[in-house]
Amino acid sequence: MAGIPAESLAELAPCDLEEVGRLVDLGILRPDEDGLYAPSDVHVVRLMAAFERTGIDLRHVGRGMAEGTFQYPLGLFMPPPGAIVGTYAELADRLGRSPELLRRLSTELGVPPRADDRVRDEDAEIIELLLTTLDVAEDDELSRFARLYGGTLQRLVTAGLQFFDRTFRARAEALELPVEERDRWVYERGGAYTELVQRIVPWLQRRNREHVLLQYLVGLTEGWMEERGIAAPPPRKPPAIAFLDLTGYTALAEDRGDEAAAEVAAALAGIVQRAAAAHGGRPVKWLGDGVMFHFDESAGAVRCGLHLVEEAERRISVPARIGINAGAVIVQEGDYFGRTVNVAARIADYAQPREVLVSEEARASAETTDVEYELVGDVALKGVSRLVRVHRAARAPAGRGSAGA
């Protein structure tokens, strides 16, 4: 892409023209012989502003760049920013919506408005598409949509960068190379990693949409058939919610340090993903030293729970405990709410290390011939108004079916 003049650089950053000159004097920005700047220098200006907000002296940065100690080839990871097309107020007037709503949506998507209220062309295009596609949605519903996608992608990008840092930058420290070559190796890997992410995210979205959309259409069609008098929906078992908690995780972090605790959490994530997929479940969210799962039915939840307790002991040497409940749930923005969820969490809190405890509702609907249950009793759970009947699940001996409790 062709170079841009200092005025355009200042507008896109945004910053004062004098700031561009100061960064040139410090050796941080280097215009070409025609006085033009690389479009990626916009990101360099923003990075320098972030440095100064945290107290980093840019004189040291400029000296490091001149000596080759510091390198910031940001064009490898971030495309040049789009052109500025106007203000949020002007965009709102064109779309017939309030500027406050547009600014709110932009913030909730993770791209808050600039101080001068001007908006990039790509941002304006997406906001207009959002409003025209979701034209029947109320303002609060639009905000919910923006938070759902904005928050999810912010977490994904942050986690992806942390993964890169652990996988590549940490390994680079062990390379017996001069600092400049080592940095160049990291940046080259970073450019390839960026390209991988740019391809894998839309691919995964398409593939997951296939699965989720089919499930959605099954439920929708069942409703249509009942509503239109064609057929009653087939009987369904209630969904199950499970909570896994690692016992001793806090003590491990205190004894062995945060890095060791993070390694245990990463190993647990691999165990959880494989076990859930094998038993028809899905991890809903991570809770520090635990995980919440959703299963279409209880049998898979119980089998998965037993498998996870065994694998946690074998693979990470940290005992796990699991609580399972079955019943109606409220689904919102990919999360699950309601009494079924609350009781499952409290059962997990009540469980001892290496225990899989199951509510009466989950046990009754599980139909697991390879699992046996021992009645624990009607127990008082914190935050639950009435006693909950709880059973302890265990693998049935070979050749012996479950007789219940």
Side-chain angles (χ1 to χ4, degrees):
M1 181 176 288
I4 58 175
E7 293 79 7
S8 298
L9 177 61
E11 179 184 53
L12 291 169
C15 67
D16 296 331
L17 194 58
E18 291 76 12
E19 177 64 10
V20 175
R22 183 173 78 99
L23 295 179
V24 171
D25 292 341
L26 289 170
I28 294 170
L29 293 179
R30 299 175 184 176
D32 63 18
E33 58 185 13
D34 296 321
L36 301 178
Y37 298 82
S40 61
D41 281 344
V42 172
H43 302 305
V44 174
V45 174
R46 293 175 178 165
L47 178 62
M48 296 306 121
F51 282 167
E52 290 200 306
R53 284 195 297 271
T54 58
I56 295 176
D57 191 327
L58 295 191
R59 291 175 298 178
H60 301 320
V61 176
R63 188 157 51 247
M65 292 178 71
E67 296 170 353
T69 305
F70 300 149
Q71 302 177 54
Y72 302 107
L74 300 183
L76 286 172
F77 324 112
M78 295 183 282
I84 305 298
V85 296
T87 67
Y88 279 88
E90 292 168 346
L91 178 62
D93 183 62
R94 179 165 63 82
L95 298 176
R97 306 300 288 263
S98 73
E100 291 76 16
L101 173 64
L102 271 57
R103 296 184 190 112
R104 188 171 96 195
L105 293 176
S106 188
T107 299
E108 289 164 337
L109 285 167
V111 286
R114 298 161 31 131
D116 61 7
D117 201 48
R118 302 186 72 189
V119 59
R120 289 191 196 177
D121 57 353
E122 58 185 333
D123 299 354
E125 180 182 351
I126 292 299
I127 291 172
E128 181 174 0
L129 179 62
L130 189 159
L131 291 172
T132 53
T133 303
L134 305 179
D135 57 337
V136 299
E138 301 288 343
D139 288 0
D140 287 345
E141 293 173 318
L142 293 171
S143 286
R144 186 178 303 166
F145 175 89
R147 287 195 304 271
L148 172 63
Y149 281 89
T152 300
L153 284 172
Q154 285 181 64
R155 289 190 294 272
L156 176 62
V157 171
T158 300
L161 186 57
Q162 291 170 343
F163 173 85
F164 175 84
D165 187 71
R166 289 192 303 268
T167 304
F168 290 100
R169 193 190 60 80
R171 281 182 169 83
E173 300 296 330
L175 296 176
E176 296 181 359
L177 294 172
V179 171
E180 297 86 349
E181 292 184 32
R182 192 173 62 198
D183 289 348
R184 190 177 304 113
W185 183 86
V186 172
Y187 282 126
E188 288 174 354
R189 293 289 180 143
Y193 181 78
T194 299
E195 184 177 349
L196 168 66
V197 171
Q198 289 174 338
R199 294 189 61 182
I200 200 171
V201 169
W203 167 74
L204 274 175
Q205 185 189 38
R206 290 193 303 270
R207 296 292 285 115
N208 279 277
R209 187 167 58 241
E210 291 176 13
H211 174 68
V212 174
L213 184 57
L214 291 178
Q215 289 185 315
Y216 169 75
L217 289 174
V218 168
L220 194 63
T221 301
E222 286 180 344
W224 284 342
M225 293 178 75
E226 181 179 22
E227 176 187 290
R228 298 166 191 183
I230 298 172
R236 287 192 177 278
K237 296 175 183 176
I241 297 293
F243 281 85
L244 175 148
D245 177 62
L246 289 181
T247 57
Y249 183 82
T250 301
L252 182 147
E254 292 176 353
D255 293 343
R256 295 169 52 191
D258 292 339
E259 187 171 339
E263 290 176 0
V264 167
L268 175 66
I271 295 170
V272 161
Q273 293 286 359
R274 290 189 293 272
H279 294 91
R282 182 175 67 86
V284 176
K285 58 185 174 184
W286 298 87
L287 306 164
D289 56 354
V291 188
M292 172 183 168
F293 300 83
H294 173 270
F295 292 83
D296 290 336
E297 45 81 31
S298 298
V302 175
R303 292 190 180 103
C304 185
L306 294 170
H307 179 73
L308 284 169
V309 165
E310 295 163 354
E311 285 295 287
E313 188 77 12
R314 185 175 70 87
R315 299 282 297 279
I316 60 178
S317 301
V318 179
R321 57 182 180 173
I322 292 174
I324 301 170
N325 190 26
V329 293
I330 297 171
V331 186
Q332 183 172 302
E333 296 181 6
D335 204 348
Y336 296 84
F337 303 90
R339 185 179 186 278
T340 298
V341 177
N342 296 336
V343 170
R346 295 307 183 186
I347 292 174
D349 292 341
Y350 184 83
Q352 295 297 309
R354 305 175 185 85
E355 279 191 335
V356 177
L357 295 187
V358 180
S359 71
E360 173 63 24
E361 291 80 3
R363 186 205 65 81
S365 65
E367 295 183 4
T368 47
T369 58
D370 54 345
V371 177
E372 61 183 15
Y373 300 92
E374 175 190 356
L375 178 63
V376 175
D378 296 332
V379 301
L381 301 175
K382 182 179 179 181
V384 179
S385 59
R386 60 179 183 268
L387 298 178
V388 175
R389 177 160 293 187
V390 172
H391 304 264
R392 184 180 296 107
R395 293 194 185 277
R400 180 170 149 200
S402 171

